[in-house]
Amino acid sequence: MTIRDFLRIYVLWAPDSAESKRIAELLVSHFDGLGMERDGVAIRVPVRFRSKAWIEADQIPRDIDLEGAEHNAIVLLYDPLMAEEKDAWDGYVAVLRKKISLRKNVDVYVPFGSPERDAALASDGAAHTQYARRDKWKEVLKSGADRDNRLLLHLLLTIRQHLKGIYAPLSPDEPLFVSHAKADGDETARAIVDYVNDSQNDVPLQTFYDAMELLPGEDYERRFETEIGKGTLLAISSDVYDSRPWCVFELTTAKRAYRPIVLADVATVKTSRTYPYGANLPKVRVAIGDNNAWIEKLLVEALSEGLRCDLFTAQAKKRAEQAGLSAIITPRPPELFDLTVGDGLASTLIYPDPPLGKIESEILETALASSGRKLDLKTLSEVR
């Protein structure tokens, strides 16, 4: 049986464009180890190039076999060099988009416009296809690193929204829930929310920040549960965060719902006690600077972890259905906390590879034996 990749990314660029080649290699580096890594193992999304012609006499690269993956993201890096050969590239892209349509749009096309504002490819223009406006980025993003992060944000969000339209079409929009302690995390949280909602930021992210979202008379606990249950939790892990009951509530609610979670470590002095169920999560050390570059980096980490969770959950649900299993699916390695939540009728808990080490396994097996609960703990690769 041939095993197909769940997701592949193809990058199209003009062969003489050194800048586009650099960006393509950046995408390889980023998606080669997406999100949480354990024992040297992380979810890898293969990135493949289409730039040089396969046959010397041709102007365009060889075709893309979309059937090699369940989903493909086609990234177009349009620039002045590609514009010089726009007719050839337009024909290539037009054929590719027709193939995507015939596959009932399980794939997604993500075009990035020319930094010099060259007119879009004719077929894209005729289809009213929106290009990410890289020509605008130069006005607000002063460094190349900032523009790289903006490109990653666009790509990550577009892929996530596309997959959500396939696997959870009735789900509401997914906000970035910024969890923070008012005492020493509010300034950081406000900076993130203000930046995301700035009119100069062209990435259509949504945020939930309690001071701006709640209406008078609203049940804020119920609203928090609703927003966290459909969102990605970005926890501003400050000195006092773990000691605040509402921060603990928000973090625990996200874990119960198996939502993507990223801890932004902004602590400066000391954490007197770490909340025990705030572990088993990716933590990013944040160095807050005078400009907003740190925010874009943090958003990239949050969306990357979100995509990792999306990919694992979609694959695990499909595999469980094929195997006829009633399963709990957690996008993180299982912990004692997971034995107290989820469907009590489930026979299996499926988690990402690699398998747990001896110490963690023994602790969980002892807890299961003591509780009398029957639950097989399996990685995705162990489900048959």
Side-chain angles (χ1 to χ4, degrees):
M1 181 180 67
T2 301
I3 299 178
R4 298 196 300 171
D5 293 322
F6 187 77
L7 172 66
R8 280 186 193 170
I9 297 174
Y10 285 90
V11 190
L12 317 181
W13 84 89
D16 294 328
S17 177
E19 174 63 7
S20 291
K21 180 181 180 182
R22 184 194 66 79
I23 293 172
E25 291 172 346
L26 168 74
L27 296 183
V28 172
S29 175
H30 186 80
F31 287 94
D32 198 48
L34 192 69
M36 180 186 289
E37 179 178 322
R38 296 170 44 237
D39 299 330
V41 177
I43 282 186
R44 175 179 179 269
V45 177
V47 178
R48 301 190 176 180
F49 299 160
R50 288 295 185 271
S51 178
K52 293 183 178 180
W54 186 249
I55 300 173
E56 188 173 344
D58 290 345
Q59 292 179 286
I60 55 176
R62 70 186 187 276
D63 291 341
I64 293 175
D65 178 17
L66 297 177
E67 297 298 329
E70 294 189 40
H71 304 281
N72 299 278
I74 311 300
V75 178
L76 179 74
L77 299 178
Y78 193 59
D79 66 6
L81 290 171
M82 183 176 281
E84 290 178 4
E85 306 291 342
K86 61 184 178 182
D87 291 340
W89 279 103
D90 184 52
Y92 184 83
V93 169
V95 169
L96 189 54
R97 294 190 66 179
K98 184 175 181 179
K99 290 180 180 179
I100 290 173
S101 178
L102 292 173
R103 275 169 50 91
K104 299 183 179 180
N105 294 309
V106 297
D107 310 306
V108 61
Y109 175 55
V110 192
F112 290 89
S114 169
E116 303 304 324
R117 203 175 180 180
D118 296 282
L121 295 175
S123 59
D124 284 344
H128 309 293
T129 301
Q130 177 68 29
Y131 280 23
R133 291 290 303 277
R134 289 196 288 169
D135 59 299
K136 293 284 190 180
W137 297 355
K138 292 185 292 184
E139 301 172 10
V140 293
L141 303 171
K142 302 306 181 183
S143 75
D146 293 343
R147 293 189 286 273
D148 288 346
N149 283 324
R150 182 63 61 88
L151 187 145
L152 284 169
L153 281 175
H154 270 289
L155 181 55
L156 288 161
L157 182 62
T158 301
I159 293 174
R160 289 198 71 195
Q161 289 186 335
H162 182 75
L163 293 177
K164 184 176 182 179
I166 296 171
Y167 292 98
L170 301 180
S171 297
D173 292 334
E174 180 174 324
L176 186 69
F177 190 104
V178 186
S179 175
H180 61 286
K182 297 296 183 187
D184 62 353
D186 192 54
E187 184 176 349
T188 302
R190 282 180 179 272
I192 294 169
V193 172
D194 289 347
Y195 183 76
V196 169
N197 292 288
D198 190 296
S199 61
Q200 291 185 316
N201 183 0
D202 62 343
V203 184
L205 287 166
Q206 296 185 36
T207 58
F208 184 88
Y209 175 72
D210 53 3
M212 297 172 61
E213 307 291 344
L214 294 171
L215 299 173
E218 190 170 9
D219 183 335
Y220 53 84
E221 180 173 335
R222 181 176 298 177
R223 180 72 185 280
F224 284 4
E225 289 178 338
T226 298
E227 298 296 333
I228 293 170
K230 65 183 182 182
T232 293
L233 189 86
L234 179 57
I236 310 304
S237 183
S238 59
D239 290 339
V240 306
Y241 182 86
D242 288 47
S243 67
R244 295 300 190 260
W246 277 107
C247 296
V248 168
F249 166 80
E250 291 161 5
L251 188 57
T252 306
T253 299
K255 270 203 165 181
R256 281 200 180 102
Y258 306 111
R259 300 306 304 164
I261 305 170
V262 170
L263 305 179
D265 182 6
V266 299
T268 58
V269 182
K270 175 184 177 181
T271 300
S272 59
R273 178 182 183 265
T274 300
Y275 176 55
Y277 304 110
N280 197 27
L281 298 167
K283 178 180 282 190
V284 181
R285 179 61 185 161
V286 177
I288 298 174
D290 294 332
N291 59 33
N292 293 316
W294 64 274
I295 300 178
E296 294 250 346
K297 290 181 181 179
L298 185 56
L299 294 175
V300 167
E301 293 293 342
L303 265 67
S304 296
E305 175 65 6
L307 180 58
R308 183 195 70 81
C309 293
D310 295 344
L311 295 175
F312 173 77
T313 301
Q315 293 177 83
K317 284 183 177 179
K318 185 174 182 179
R319 190 78 61 83
E321 290 173 2
Q322 291 171 341
L325 294 176
S326 172
I328 298 169
I329 294 170
T330 172
R332 293 170 283 272
E335 55 183 296
L336 288 173
F337 180 87
D338 293 310
L339 306 187
T340 68
V341 298
D343 185 356
L345 300 178
S347 61
T348 307
L349 183 149
I350 304 174
Y351 66 96
D353 288 280
L356 292 176
K358 181 180 178 181
I359 294 175
E360 289 182 88
S361 294
E362 288 177 347
I363 292 172
L364 292 176
E365 288 168 2
T366 300
L368 283 170
S370 299
S371 68
R373 186 176 184 183
K374 303 295 183 182
L375 190 66
D376 290 332
L377 308 181
K378 293 184 176 182
T379 65
L380 182 59
S381 64
E382 293 173 325
V383 178
R384 297 287 187 265

